[in-house]
Amino acid sequence: MSPQSPKIPYGGDYNPEQWPQEVQDEDHRLFTRAGIDTLTVGVFLWSLSQPAEDVYDFTALDGVLDRAAAAGRQVCLATGTAALPPWLAARYPEVNRTDFEGRRHRYGQRHNFCPSSPAYRRTATALAERLAERYAAHPALLAWHVNNEYGGACYCDLCGTAFRHWLRERHGSLAALNDAWWTAFWSHRYTDWDQIEPPSALTEHWRGPDHTALQGITLDYRRFMTDALLGCFTAEKEAIRRHDPETPVTTNFMGMYRPVDYHRWAPHLDFASWDCYPPLDAPPTWSALGHDLMRGLKDGAPFWLMEQTPSTTACRDVNPLRRPGELRLATFQAVAHGADAALFFQLRASRGACEKYHGAVIGHAGRDDTRVFGEVADLGKELELLGPVTLGARTPARTALLFDWDSWWALEMSDGPSRLVGYQETVHAYYGAARAAGADLDVVPQGADLTPYDVVLAPVLHLVKADLAPRLEAVAARGGTVLATFLSGRVDEHDRAFLTDVPGPLADLMGVRIDEWDARPAEFVQTVPELRATARLVFEIVLPRGAETVATYGTDFYAGTPAVTRHAYGKGEAWYVATALDQPGVDRVVHRVLARHGLHGPYAGHPTVEAAQRVAPDGTRLLFLLNHAREAAPLTAHATATELLTGKRVEQGEVLTLDPLGAVVLRLQ
Ligand code: GLA
Ligand code: ZN
């Protein structure tokens, strides 16, 4: 169930509570100029809406919603439970988190409530319920935005107790838990549930959250914390549903955010949404991977881009400005990957506090003749032109990439073979290779239905759950291709090694056996001659058991042994990449995998051009072409189409020139 809007909702976080009435009048004038039709309001309103435990005051919010409705604008209404009011923390200190070092925090900041605190749960839920009661039927209401960027972790005694309950549910008995966590190691056998402590710097950890003596407990604590935060979300959602049976509910995620396993949340959201702030100098595929991961949460249903900056962030040491054209390109990229809304943080810059220099549609001078305002307004016009055509459209992907939080956690908390292997970086390398070849991808969890896919990429799938291996075998058996890499198939769901040859349950499919592996510092580089590539970090020594060698290591005592293999399996095949290849190496392997299934896109030869397809509910086929270079990109149109933003017809074979940082949306005939 997604929000119903006549076009892509355009606008973003809006905090009129920070301003006097006159400023709001001016805001609405400027919103109209910029084509802004959607306001996310109430995200940080708790202390105003509820100035004391028994006092609610919705005067400000009433005004904001009524004014939005009067101006014909839609509202994404936040419950505002992410930043606590001071009275709550003063009255119930338990709402404040205890950190990893064991320090009980006091009032301050935001996003730092204890998810197990009954006082927090009670007050947050009551607030959500009152809001729903009051605004469920408001004409401006488009969607509910619960809380904000759930994340982090708490290690307080309340969380400790909740963790032990969660463990009883999960493991059933102490015997099962002792076995799952392999507690005979270092004398950890528990004889009473109460002996179990949250894994923190005071207990199992040293050098931070990734260094734990007992991986099993740390893995379970991350799952528990994911579920504890989720419990806060579902409690608010239930409170909303008591008064509003219909309006879609979401919360804004953060893409590849390690602390929270969004796949555990996905069934509870009506639609997914996320805040896209790519790391400094990240290639465009980084955001694209985030978009595809978010789209994968709801089986490919469109998501909302809940936040992006129109110009600059403020939270980093150095905050570069988006160059002219970059905002437009990033927005069309989001739409190309499944965004059905394009929202900013923020519409008006706050005057004080830590985000006063964060980019905004309206800056401190309140001008509408700045470059940024101009670009936002131009984009607003284009989205209006686009109308409803992209809404509800889906990505016709035949390639899946498995993304798994458990593997991410297990890999990065592993002692040995190497702390230098990054989960996101490795996944991104394979994702980037497939995108460079022009393939559309679905980024899906381990449990996803794999039957729609010709190719399944499973990079660093360290932890393998349940029946994944037979389902991957089925992909290859029916003619598909499965690719796995080094450090895959190593541990079970409890982070216990499989008592079999590496890569464990994937070994039959891959047709290899791995008895030993080498790890070297980042500077150490091996050649992989057949791929004209290099390899680093981890070098698994592969003994083919049915697989053929595609490429070999060039150095050391294992020179000449396989680094990449291919195994014929049923009507299909399985590829194993035993080392961290450089990007050209990954590109060449993925290129061959996709070529077998004809999955290369028609514009794959243009390294700076990204192509992405969406198919609208009425069958309309859309192709987005995005030029990430600062130079124009001349292409040859692969099909006859209509360019939706200009209305121009493009004939097959005609030259189609993309502007520098240009984006076009083609409706294919
Ligand atoms: C997050 C938050 C916003 C704001 C922005 C700034 O996404 O949700 O409230 O702090 O970051 O980039
Ligand atoms: Zn807690």
Side-chain angles (χ1 to χ4, degrees):
M1 181 180 33
S2 295
Q4 298 302 309
S5 172
K7 60 173 275 289
I8 292 179
Y10 187 54
D13 272 45
Y14 179 46
N15 303 297
E17 65 276 9
Q18 296 179 13
W19 302 98
Q21 205 61 29
E22 316 81 83
V23 177
Q24 293 185 49
D25 297 338
E26 178 61 3
D27 288 340
H28 275 273
R29 188 183 72 77
L30 295 172
F31 294 160
T32 302
R33 279 204 54 146
I36 284 173
D37 51 40
T38 303
L39 311 176
T40 304
V41 302
V43 183
F44 300 111
L45 208 61
W46 196 343
S47 67
L48 221 73
S49 309
Q50 193 183 3
E53 186 161 9
D54 45 5
V55 184
Y56 290 92
D57 178 358
F58 295 114
T59 327
L61 204 50
D62 285 350
V64 171
L65 267 85
D66 291 348
R67 180 181 284 257
R73 280 181 249 283
Q74 339 179 84
V75 163
C76 172
L77 183 54
T79 58
T81 51
L84 307 177
W87 62 259
L88 180 60
R91 184 152 183 191
Y92 305 104
E94 61 164 65
V95 302
N96 299 308
R97 277 189 193 168
T98 294
D99 67 19
F100 185 70
E101 276 74 36
R103 299 171 305 179
R104 160 75 73 190
H105 283 215
R106 298 160 68 113
Y107 183 72
Q109 299 188 45
R110 63 166 185 181
H111 299 169
N112 54 5
F113 52 88
C114 165
S116 311
S117 152
Y120 173 76
R121 185 69 66 95
R122 188 181 68 245
T123 51
T125 310
L127 178 58
E129 176 145 14
R130 294 233 176 191
L131 288 165
E133 193 178 4
R134 196 171 187 90
Y135 300 112
H138 199 283
L141 185 66
L142 176 65
W144 287 101
H145 175 301
V146 172
N147 206 278
N148 194 62
E149 295 193 334
Y150 281 101
C154 180
Y155 298 86
C156 77
D157 291 343
L158 289 168
C159 285
T161 304
F163 180 45
R164 289 185 285 272
H165 280 130
W166 185 96
L167 290 171
R168 275 176 194 260
E169 287 277 300
R170 172 165 169 75
H171 296 282
S173 70
L174 271 182
L177 175 139
N178 279 314
D179 184 46
W181 292 356
W182 209 248
T183 56
F185 180 78
W186 286 4
S187 184
H188 269 49
R189 191 160 292 276
Y190 295 99
T191 53
D192 192 319
W193 293 97
D194 288 339
Q195 296 158 356
I196 301 169
E197 299 269 6
S200 73
L202 302 183
T203 60
E204 299 296 350
H205 284 252
W206 70 97
R207 282 174 61 194
D210 286 341
H211 291 74
T212 173
L214 206 61
Q215 276 77 13
I217 191 174
T218 301
L219 206 53
D220 269 349
Y221 202 72
R222 291 192 183 170
R223 292 169 176 146
F224 155 72
M225 202 34 76
T226 290
D227 290 357
L229 290 165
L230 172 60
C232 297
F233 171 82
T234 52
E236 285 197 39
K237 186 177 176 191
E238 281 160 22
I240 291 171
R241 283 283 170 260
R242 283 197 275 278
H243 300 279
D244 180 348
E246 280 175 352
T247 312
V249 178
T250 191
T251 182
N252 48 339
F253 285 159
M254 291 174 274
M256 287 187 285
Y257 176 67
R258 198 179 72 162
V260 178
D261 179 349
Y262 291 146
H263 287 138
R264 294 173 88 94
W265 284 56
H268 305 278
L269 307 171
D270 294 327
F271 67 106
S273 65
W274 81 294
D275 303 342
C276 181
Y277 297 99
L280 291 189
D281 301 321
T285 39
W286 195 271
S287 302
L289 171 52
H291 294 315
D292 287 356
L293 176 65
M294 296 295 102
R295 197 186 67 242
L297 293 177
K298 299 298 288 179
D299 293 328
F303 59 90
W304 273 23
L305 177 60
M306 189 65 90
E307 294 181 23
Q308 67 167 329
T309 179
S311 53
T312 170
T313 53
C315 53
R316 306 202 160 113
D317 288 352
V318 175
N319 296 278
L321 184 60
R322 285 191 143 166
R323 286 21 225 173
E326 287 185 355
L327 168 65
R328 177 181 184 275
L329 181 59
T331 306
F332 279 109
Q333 185 192 35
V335 176
H337 285 270
D340 262 6
L343 304 172
F344 298 114
F345 183 88
Q346 54 191 336
L347 298 186
R348 179 179 279 272
S350 81
R351 180 170 188 189
C354 67
E355 289 182 349
K356 65 177 178 294
Y357 292 132
H358 195 289
V361 174
I362 308 168
H364 295 140
R367 305 193 71 95
D368 61 4
D369 60 356
T370 62
R371 174 187 67 84
V372 170
F373 189 90
E375 289 194 27
V376 168
D378 289 347
L379 184 54
K381 285 197 196 85
E382 288 193 301
L383 294 177
E384 218 160 295
L385 261 175
L386 204 56
V389 63
T390 58
L391 298 177
R394 297 208 165 221
T395 301
R398 288 166 60 200
T399 304
L401 182 138
L402 300 186
F403 193 99
D404 180 52
W405 263 266
D406 282 319
S407 286
W408 189 357
W409 294 338
L411 178 80
E412 294 187 358
M413 72 170 79
S414 179
D415 284 294
S418 171
R419 292 241 173 225
L420 302 179
V421 178
Y423 182 75
Q424 295 177 87
E425 289 72 14
T426 314
V427 167
H428 176 255
Y430 283 83
Y431 176 85
R435 291 296 296 140
D440 290 300
L441 279 92
D442 282 344
V443 177
V444 300
Q446 280 203 29
D449 175 13
L450 300 177
T451 52
Y453 304 109
D454 295 335
V455 171
V456 178
L457 304 175
V460 275
L461 200 71
H462 195 67
L463 182 153
V464 172
K465 286 170 268 198
D467 62 344
L468 178 68
R471 289 188 301 110
L472 288 172
E473 285 169 3
V475 171
R478 65 170 156 81
T481 302
V482 178
L483 177 149
T485 74
F486 62 105
L487 299 181
S488 292
R490 293 297 188 121
V491 296
D492 69 7
E493 61 169 313
H494 303 298
D495 203 56
R496 296 175 307 194
F498 290 112
L499 297 179
T500 178
D501 295 328
V502 171
L506 307 180
D508 279 351
L509 173 58
M510 294 297 144
V512 297
R513 172 181 137 202
I514 292 149
D515 293 349
E516 46 181 346
W517 44 88
D518 192 13
R520 296 297 188 98
E523 310 73 63
F524 179 85
V525 175
Q526 283 246 18
T527 58
V528 181
E530 298 86 347
L531 290 172
R532 289 168 286 126
T534 59
R536 289 164 60 246
L537 308 182
V538 170
F539 312 93
E540 292 178 344
I541 302 171
V542 175
L543 307 172
R545 289 292 175 271
E548 65 178 83
T549 301
V550 173
T552 57
Y553 293 116
T555 33
D556 219 308
F557 78 89
Y558 43 92
T561 69
V564 179
T565 57
R566 180 172 61 177
H567 184 217
Y569 190 97
K571 295 185 191 142
E573 55 190 36
W575 287 65
Y576 192 78
V577 181
T579 181
L581 293 173
D582 59 12
Q583 192 65 49
V586 175
D587 289 348
R588 286 185 191 111
V589 170
V590 171
H591 176 94
R592 285 179 60 179
V593 165
L594 296 172
R596 182 166 170 265
H597 301 276
L599 290 177
H600 287 257
Y603 303 100
H606 299 267
T608 72
V609 172
E610 178 181 3
Q613 300 184 67
R614 290 184 75 186
V615 180
D618 67 358
T620 304
R621 288 186 306 135
L622 302 168
L623 178 68
F624 291 74
L625 294 174
L626 311 160
N627 178 18
H628 293 286
R630 284 167 201 293
E631 298 78 44
L635 312 175
T636 307
H638 80 294
T640 298
T642 306
E643 214 270 79
L644 285 181
L645 298 169
T646 59
K648 218 183 107 209
R649 195 181 152 85
V650 183
E651 299 294 331
Q652 183 176 10
E654 195 179 294
V655 174
L656 170 64
T657 302
L658 301 181
D659 292 337
L661 303 180
V664 302
V665 187
L666 299 176
R667 188 178 62 217
L668 301 176
Q669 306 288 305

